[in-house]
Amino acid sequence: MFGTLTGRLGVAAQSALLVLAYLVMLVAGVFGWVGLFAVAGLAAIIGEFAVARWSPPSQLLLEKVGLHWSYRQLTRDLAAVLLVAAEVRLSGGELTLLLVLPAAVWVVSVFAGAFSTMIERRNPISAMVRNIELGPLSSAPTPPAWAAAVAGDRMPLLNLLLVPAGVAAAVQHDPTPFFVAGAVAVVATGLVGAIIALTWLRGRGAGQGPLLPAVQRWLDNYRPEVALYFAGPAKDVYQANMWLAPTEALQQRAVVLMRSREAFLELADTRLPVICVPAGVDFMNLDLGGVRAALYAANVGANIHMLREPGTKHVFVGHGDSDKQASVNPYSKVYDEVWVAGLAGRERYARAGVGVLDSDIVEIGRPQLAGVHTFGAESVDRPFTVLYAPTWEGWLDDDPYHTSLVLMGERIVKGLLATNPRLRLIYKPHPLTGSRSKAARAVHERIVAAIRAAGGDADASSLDGTAHLVVTGRTPALFDCFNQTDLLISDVSSVVSDFVQSQRPYVVANPAGLSEDDFRREYPTARAAYLLSKDCGELEKIVTVTRAGDDPMTEARRELKTYLLGPAEANPMDRFQQEIDRLCH
């Protein structure tokens, strides 16, 4: 909580200092204080660069209070004009030129921005596709990329030249430097504006962009029966990634439907056809009536644009079963069915009482786990390996027990690194680690440094070798790490549920200090776990017992696997296919 408050104060302070620099420029310009103007102008220019580069929250705060960067640019130009007017004797014609040159840049930028917008509407990037051939598409002319990038409110950035030119003019009591800088800015913006305007003229009469109609023609020809729908942001795309392989393996024709350009670019490699349509209106204009089953990996508001399809069965498959509150979101009531791994998921909804009917819950196992080797399934020549996979800090800044990382992470890692005889540590944090908590980010960075100091690979993309590893990228995948793991240490999360598939020993962190009975009762996924308290005093003993193979929890894990993931003899991919068949036929 303190860290969040400190961060907000820092953002406010940075924004206030930038605004102060502009106010000082204006005052210095009015009174002709050249030195103060020069210092304030330099501070404003550097401050704008710093805010844009390192402090997006400050940029957002300034916009929220009505100080958009175009207004700040206008203030800068006005201050430069006032400085020259205060310090240089000007004739009537020179005064007119002093005012017209900066104004001309703004006028050109407004019209260029308007033409650029009209050009974009002729060729909207209404959809993005992968693994789909749409054939040749004709479109209206577009300006060069560099011209399109600067058209609009970026063009007055050229008036930055007026700040040093204004100082030079004031010092020399001669307006020539200002006029030269202003003329350069006008010529440059005029060139860009002319290119944009000519491009607009060339494209007059162009009809609707061809992209969406081409996507619709492809859908009509391909006729997908199953859609994996994901409308979340790029940072959450791992939620869709985990369903790509099972969806690829289906006998039915399937497609991935997405709504975020950024998430589309981050989606893992897949053989499935992928369509991204960001705009809600465009997406709802697609005819998706042939889709019999839509699978949803996340609960987000934009799901409604797919849920409105009346002939489709809408199924929430989620992104992992866990004992977290997020696994029983009341939003789940909007779907026709909710698919869970095993009896644990069904009972979890019953306990939560969020309105999901028991008749709408289907147990399908976890088809993603088909490649996870069970205990004793293979013999490999490698050191005893411990996987530390903490969950992220969660949505609530004031919940210190959501993840073990902040309170226990360093003790866990340092304890494992100091173990004798040596073991191998794989550290794979949640993809969102540090996204909300600066404390979590700081601990993560210290853990990475400690592993690097112990000779580990701090940016691993392969599980080969025997060195300690930090795995933060998309590859190697979590399930690949499972197959290299003899002991898992994690939190209350879906990682634990999935790891039970391997029947290997696992540890669940108990940073809140609940009694063992209370912890296992509240979190059923921990019934067959070793528990680790905040001081990590049990860690050495747990490693010793599991390393020696004298593991008293083996039978408990076998029973828990059935409860969490369904019958051991059932192939979860077969169950997944059977349920899809039912919905499609």
Side-chain angles (χ1 to χ4, degrees), residues 208-225:
Q208 179 191 12
L211 195 51
L212 273 179
V215 169
Q216 185 63 65
R217 287 194 298 272
W218 180 87
L219 286 168
D220 294 340
N221 292 328
Y222 186 67
R223 292 179 297 171
E225 298 174 83

PDB file of all heavy atoms in Angstrom, residues 208-225:
ATOM      1  N   GLN A 208     -15.432   0.725 -49.911  1.00  0.00           N
ATOM      2  CA  GLN A 208     -15.138   0.105 -48.612  1.00  0.00           C
ATOM      3  C   GLN A 208     -13.844  -0.685 -48.682  1.00  0.00           C
ATOM      4  O   GLN A 208     -13.525  -1.310 -49.694  1.00  0.00           O
ATOM      5  CB  GLN A 208     -16.287  -0.825 -48.214  1.00  0.00           C
ATOM      6  CG  GLN A 208     -16.077  -1.545 -46.894  1.00  0.00           C
ATOM      7  CD  GLN A 208     -17.104  -2.636 -46.671  1.00  0.00           C
ATOM      8  OE1 GLN A 208     -17.835  -2.993 -47.582  1.00  0.00           O
ATOM      9  NE2 GLN A 208     -17.150  -3.171 -45.466  1.00  0.00           N
ATOM     10  N   GLY A 209     -13.087  -0.678 -47.576  1.00  0.00           N
ATOM     11  CA  GLY A 209     -11.874  -1.472 -47.509  1.00  0.00           C
ATOM     12  C   GLY A 209     -12.165  -2.941 -47.777  1.00  0.00           C
ATOM     13  O   GLY A 209     -13.193  -3.476 -47.346  1.00  0.00           O
ATOM     14  N   PRO A 210     -11.285  -3.641 -48.483  1.00  0.00           N
ATOM     15  CA  PRO A 210     -11.575  -5.016 -48.925  1.00  0.00           C
ATOM     16  C   PRO A 210     -11.289  -6.085 -47.876  1.00  0.00           C
ATOM     17  O   PRO A 210     -11.590  -7.251 -48.111  1.00  0.00           O
ATOM     18  CB  PRO A 210     -10.618  -5.175 -50.112  1.00  0.00           C
ATOM     19  CG  PRO A 210      -9.423  -4.330 -49.729  1.00  0.00           C
ATOM     20  CD  PRO A 210      -9.973  -3.152 -48.963  1.00  0.00           C
ATOM     21  N   LEU A 211     -10.720  -5.726 -46.745  1.00  0.00           N
ATOM     22  CA  LEU A 211     -10.218  -6.742 -45.826  1.00  0.00           C
ATOM     23  C   LEU A 211     -11.340  -7.550 -45.167  1.00  0.00           C
ATOM     24  O   LEU A 211     -11.339  -8.789 -45.206  1.00  0.00           O
ATOM     25  CB  LEU A 211      -9.341  -6.077 -44.762  1.00  0.00           C
ATOM     26  CG  LEU A 211      -8.450  -7.002 -43.934  1.00  0.00           C
ATOM     27  CD1 LEU A 211      -7.639  -7.918 -44.810  1.00  0.00           C
ATOM     28  CD2 LEU A 211      -7.536  -6.181 -43.036  1.00  0.00           C
ATOM     29  N   LEU A 212     -12.299  -6.866 -44.537  1.00  0.00           N
ATOM     30  CA  LEU A 212     -13.372  -7.603 -43.857  1.00  0.00           C
ATOM     31  C   LEU A 212     -14.193  -8.463 -44.813  1.00  0.00           C
ATOM     32  O   LEU A 212     -14.513  -9.621 -44.490  1.00  0.00           O
ATOM     33  CB  LEU A 212     -14.273  -6.637 -43.096  1.00  0.00           C
ATOM     34  CG  LEU A 212     -13.840  -6.295 -41.668  1.00  0.00           C
ATOM     35  CD1 LEU A 212     -14.817  -5.316 -41.042  1.00  0.00           C
ATOM     36  CD2 LEU A 212     -13.734  -7.537 -40.804  1.00  0.00           C
ATOM     37  N   PRO A 213     -14.569  -7.957 -45.990  1.00  0.00           N
ATOM     38  CA  PRO A 213     -15.270  -8.840 -46.932  1.00  0.00           C
ATOM     39  C   PRO A 213     -14.464 -10.077 -47.303  1.00  0.00           C
ATOM     40  O   PRO A 213     -15.029 -11.169 -47.452  1.00  0.00           O
ATOM     41  CB  PRO A 213     -15.515  -7.937 -48.147  1.00  0.00           C
ATOM     42  CG  PRO A 213     -15.552  -6.554 -47.581  1.00  0.00           C
ATOM     43  CD  PRO A 213     -14.542  -6.558 -46.475  1.00  0.00           C
ATOM     44  N   ALA A 214     -13.133  -9.917 -47.422  1.00  0.00           N
ATOM     45  CA  ALA A 214     -12.292 -11.071 -47.745  1.00  0.00           C
ATOM     46  C   ALA A 214     -12.273 -12.077 -46.595  1.00  0.00           C
ATOM     47  O   ALA A 214     -12.295 -13.300 -46.811  1.00  0.00           O
ATOM     48  CB  ALA A 214     -10.879 -10.607 -48.064  1.00  0.00           C
ATOM     49  N   VAL A 215     -12.242 -11.562 -45.357  1.00  0.00           N
ATOM     50  CA  VAL A 215     -12.295 -12.454 -44.193  1.00  0.00           C
ATOM     51  C   VAL A 215     -13.620 -13.205 -44.164  1.00  0.00           C
ATOM     52  O   VAL A 215     -13.661 -14.416 -43.897  1.00  0.00           O
ATOM     53  CB  VAL A 215     -12.104 -11.639 -42.891  1.00  0.00           C
ATOM     54  CG1 VAL A 215     -12.422 -12.505 -41.665  1.00  0.00           C
ATOM     55  CG2 VAL A 215     -10.678 -11.108 -42.793  1.00  0.00           C
ATOM     56  N   GLN A 216     -14.707 -12.504 -44.473  1.00  0.00           N
ATOM     57  CA  GLN A 216     -16.020 -13.166 -44.487  1.00  0.00           C
ATOM     58  C   GLN A 216     -16.081 -14.238 -45.560  1.00  0.00           C
ATOM     59  O   GLN A 216     -16.639 -15.328 -45.330  1.00  0.00           O
ATOM     60  CB  GLN A 216     -17.127 -12.135 -44.707  1.00  0.00           C
ATOM     61  CG  GLN A 216     -18.529 -12.724 -44.619  1.00  0.00           C
ATOM     62  CD  GLN A 216     -18.827 -13.280 -43.243  1.00  0.00           C
ATOM     63  OE1 GLN A 216     -18.875 -12.553 -42.271  1.00  0.00           O
ATOM     64  NE2 GLN A 216     -19.013 -14.599 -43.161  1.00  0.00           N
ATOM     65  N   ARG A 217     -15.505 -13.969 -46.740  1.00  0.00           N
ATOM     66  CA  ARG A 217     -15.493 -14.993 -47.801  1.00  0.00           C
ATOM     67  C   ARG A 217     -14.717 -16.228 -47.340  1.00  0.00           C
ATOM     68  O   ARG A 217     -15.128 -17.364 -47.603  1.00  0.00           O
ATOM     69  CB  ARG A 217     -14.872 -14.418 -49.078  1.00  0.00           C
ATOM     70  CG  ARG A 217     -15.757 -13.426 -49.807  1.00  0.00           C
ATOM     71  CD  ARG A 217     -15.239 -13.149 -51.211  1.00  0.00           C
ATOM     72  NE  ARG A 217     -13.917 -12.548 -51.205  1.00  0.00           N
ATOM     73  CZ  ARG A 217     -13.696 -11.235 -51.136  1.00  0.00           C
ATOM     74  NH1 ARG A 217     -14.727 -10.393 -51.037  1.00  0.00           N
ATOM     75  NH2 ARG A 217     -12.468 -10.752 -51.146  1.00  0.00           N
ATOM     76  N   TRP A 218     -13.593 -15.989 -46.633  1.00  0.00           N
ATOM     77  CA  TRP A 218     -12.821 -17.136 -46.139  1.00  0.00           C
ATOM     78  C   TRP A 218     -13.641 -17.936 -45.132  1.00  0.00           C
ATOM     79  O   TRP A 218     -13.658 -19.176 -45.179  1.00  0.00           O
ATOM     80  CB  TRP A 218     -11.521 -16.649 -45.494  1.00  0.00           C
ATOM     81  CG  TRP A 218     -10.698 -17.783 -44.974  1.00  0.00           C
ATOM     82  CD1 TRP A 218      -9.781 -18.518 -45.655  1.00  0.00           C
ATOM     83  CD2 TRP A 218     -10.762 -18.334 -43.649  1.00  0.00           C
ATOM     84  NE1 TRP A 218      -9.258 -19.503 -44.854  1.00  0.00           N
ATOM     85  CE2 TRP A 218      -9.839 -19.410 -43.617  1.00  0.00           C
ATOM     86  CE3 TRP A 218     -11.488 -18.037 -42.511  1.00  0.00           C
ATOM     87  CZ2 TRP A 218      -9.642 -20.182 -42.471  1.00  0.00           C
ATOM     88  CZ3 TRP A 218     -11.296 -18.798 -41.367  1.00  0.00           C
ATOM     89  CH2 TRP A 218     -10.379 -19.854 -41.356  1.00  0.00           C
ATOM     90  N   LEU A 219     -14.326 -17.253 -44.216  1.00  0.00           N
ATOM     91  CA  LEU A 219     -15.157 -17.948 -43.238  1.00  0.00           C
ATOM     92  C   LEU A 219     -16.252 -18.758 -43.927  1.00  0.00           C
ATOM     93  O   LEU A 219     -16.549 -19.898 -43.527  1.00  0.00           O
ATOM     94  CB  LEU A 219     -15.786 -16.942 -42.273  1.00  0.00           C
ATOM     95  CG  LEU A 219     -14.859 -16.328 -41.220  1.00  0.00           C
ATOM     96  CD1 LEU A 219     -15.541 -15.138 -40.547  1.00  0.00           C
ATOM     97  CD2 LEU A 219     -14.454 -17.357 -40.173  1.00  0.00           C
ATOM     98  N   ASP A 220     -16.863 -18.187 -44.964  1.00  0.00           N
ATOM     99  CA  ASP A 220     -17.931 -18.881 -45.677  1.00  0.00           C
ATOM    100  C   ASP A 220     -17.415 -20.154 -46.344  1.00  0.00           C
ATOM    101  O   ASP A 220     -18.129 -21.165 -46.416  1.00  0.00           O
ATOM    102  CB  ASP A 220     -18.557 -17.961 -46.726  1.00  0.00           C
ATOM    103  CG  ASP A 220     -19.282 -16.769 -46.106  1.00  0.00           C
ATOM    104  OD1 ASP A 220     -19.630 -16.851 -44.914  1.00  0.00           O
ATOM    105  OD2 ASP A 220     -19.478 -15.764 -46.815  1.00  0.00           O
ATOM    106  N   ASN A 221     -16.174 -20.101 -46.835  1.00  0.00           N
ATOM    107  CA  ASN A 221     -15.603 -21.270 -47.513  1.00  0.00           C
ATOM    108  C   ASN A 221     -15.075 -22.306 -46.525  1.00  0.00           C
ATOM    109  O   ASN A 221     -15.246 -23.515 -46.719  1.00  0.00           O
ATOM    110  CB  ASN A 221     -14.472 -20.838 -48.454  1.00  0.00           C
ATOM    111  CG  ASN A 221     -14.975 -20.036 -49.633  1.00  0.00           C
ATOM    112  OD1 ASN A 221     -16.091 -20.261 -50.107  1.00  0.00           O
ATOM    113  ND2 ASN A 221     -14.179 -19.090 -50.104  1.00  0.00           N
ATOM    114  N   TYR A 222     -14.427 -21.848 -45.461  1.00  0.00           N
ATOM    115  CA  TYR A 222     -13.791 -22.763 -44.497  1.00  0.00           C
ATOM    116  C   TYR A 222     -14.821 -23.385 -43.557  1.00  0.00           C
ATOM    117  O   TYR A 222     -14.695 -24.535 -43.143  1.00  0.00           O
ATOM    118  CB  TYR A 222     -12.729 -21.998 -43.705  1.00  0.00           C
ATOM    119  CG  TYR A 222     -11.910 -22.857 -42.775  1.00  0.00           C
ATOM    120  CD1 TYR A 222     -11.032 -23.810 -43.266  1.00  0.00           C
ATOM    121  CD2 TYR A 222     -12.022 -22.700 -41.394  1.00  0.00           C
ATOM    122  CE1 TYR A 222     -10.275 -24.597 -42.407  1.00  0.00           C
ATOM    123  CE2 TYR A 222     -11.270 -23.483 -40.519  1.00  0.00           C
ATOM    124  CZ  TYR A 222     -10.396 -24.417 -41.037  1.00  0.00           C
ATOM    125  OH  TYR A 222      -9.656 -25.192 -40.178  1.00  0.00           O
ATOM    126  N   ARG A 223     -15.829 -22.621 -43.173  1.00  0.00           N
ATOM    127  CA  ARG A 223     -16.926 -23.061 -42.297  1.00  0.00           C
ATOM    128  C   ARG A 223     -16.421 -23.702 -41.000  1.00  0.00           C
ATOM    129  O   ARG A 223     -16.649 -24.880 -40.739  1.00  0.00           O
ATOM    130  CB  ARG A 223     -17.832 -24.031 -43.047  1.00  0.00           C
ATOM    131  CG  ARG A 223     -18.623 -23.384 -44.170  1.00  0.00           C
ATOM    132  CD  ARG A 223     -19.480 -24.387 -44.885  1.00  0.00           C
ATOM    133  NE  ARG A 223     -18.665 -25.405 -45.530  1.00  0.00           N
ATOM    134  CZ  ARG A 223     -19.161 -26.521 -46.092  1.00  0.00           C
ATOM    135  NH1 ARG A 223     -20.456 -26.755 -46.049  1.00  0.00           N
ATOM    136  NH2 ARG A 223     -18.354 -27.394 -46.661  1.00  0.00           N
ATOM    137  N   PRO A 224     -15.722 -22.932 -40.169  1.00  0.00           N
ATOM    138  CA  PRO A 224     -15.236 -23.498 -38.899  1.00  0.00           C
ATOM    139  C   PRO A 224     -16.395 -23.882 -37.991  1.00  0.00           C
ATOM    140  O   PRO A 224     -17.416 -23.190 -37.927  1.00  0.00           O
ATOM    141  CB  PRO A 224     -14.418 -22.346 -38.296  1.00  0.00           C
ATOM    142  CG  PRO A 224     -14.996 -21.108 -38.899  1.00  0.00           C
ATOM    143  CD  PRO A 224     -15.407 -21.503 -40.291  1.00  0.00           C
ATOM    144  N   GLU A 225     -16.223 -24.993 -37.288  1.00  0.00           N
ATOM    145  CA  GLU A 225     -17.243 -25.454 -36.351  1.00  0.00           C
ATOM    146  C   GLU A 225     -16.913 -25.066 -34.908  1.00  0.00           C
ATOM    147  O   GLU A 225     -17.802 -24.984 -34.060  1.00  0.00           O
ATOM    148  CB  GLU A 225     -17.368 -26.974 -36.437  1.00  0.00           C
ATOM    149  CG  GLU A 225     -17.810 -27.487 -37.797  1.00  0.00           C
ATOM    150  CD  GLU A 225     -17.772 -29.001 -37.838  1.00  0.00           C
ATOM    151  OE1 GLU A 225     -18.753 -29.621 -37.382  1.00  0.00           O
ATOM    152  OE2 GLU A 225     -16.754 -29.557 -38.309  1.00  0.00           O
TER     153      GLU A 225
END
